[in-house]
Amino acid sequence: MTTDFLSASAEAKKTLLAARARHARLKAQADERLAGAMTRHQAELAVAAAVEAAAWRDLMTVPGMTVATASRIGEAPVSSVRRWLATPPSGAAAESSCS
C-alpha cells in the first residue's frame, strides 16, 4: 500500500506542477489581453472626448456666444464647458506629445 500511495502521490505532484505552469501561462496571456483591451479602451475614450470637445468649440463659434450661454444651452456647469474648451483638438494632442 505504501508503494501505491507514493507512486500515486508522485504522479499527482507531476500533474499539479504541470497545472501550475499552465495556470501561469494562461494568466500571463489573460493579463496581456487585458492590457491590450485597456489600451484600446483609453484610446476610444480619448476619441469620444474629442468628439464632444469639438462640439463645444463649434458652439463657441456662434457670434455672440459666451461660456455662460453655452453652459445653459448645453445644460452643463460653466466649469465643465471651460474644461471642454481647454481640451486640445485631437490632432494637436498627438502633435504636442511627439518630441
Side-chain angles (χ1 to χ4, degrees):
M1 181 170 140
T2 304
T3 303
D4 290 341
F5 175 79
L6 293 177
S7 295
S9 296
E11 232 7 79
K13 180 180 178 180
K14 287 179 189 176
T15 302
L16 176 62
L17 293 176
R20 281 184 171 170
R22 184 163 187 240
H23 172 227
R25 286 191 307 272
L26 291 171
K27 182 182 180 307
Q29 183 181 42
D31 288 344
E32 287 176 21
R33 288 181 179 163
L34 176 60
M38 290 174 70
T39 299
R40 285 188 304 278
H41 180 256
Q42 287 298 102
E44 290 172 7
L45 286 177
V47 168
V51 168
E52 185 166 352
W56 283 107
R57 281 190 293 278
D58 286 347
L59 180 60
M60 292 305 297
T61 64
V62 173
M65 184 62 63
T66 65
V67 172
T69 303
S71 167
R72 284 191 174 268
I73 291 170
E75 299 177 359
V78 169
S79 60
S80 293
V81 175
R82 287 195 174 122
R83 274 195 300 275
W84 283 116
L85 294 174
T87 303
S90 57
E95 292 170 12
S96 66
S97 67
C98 296
S99 17

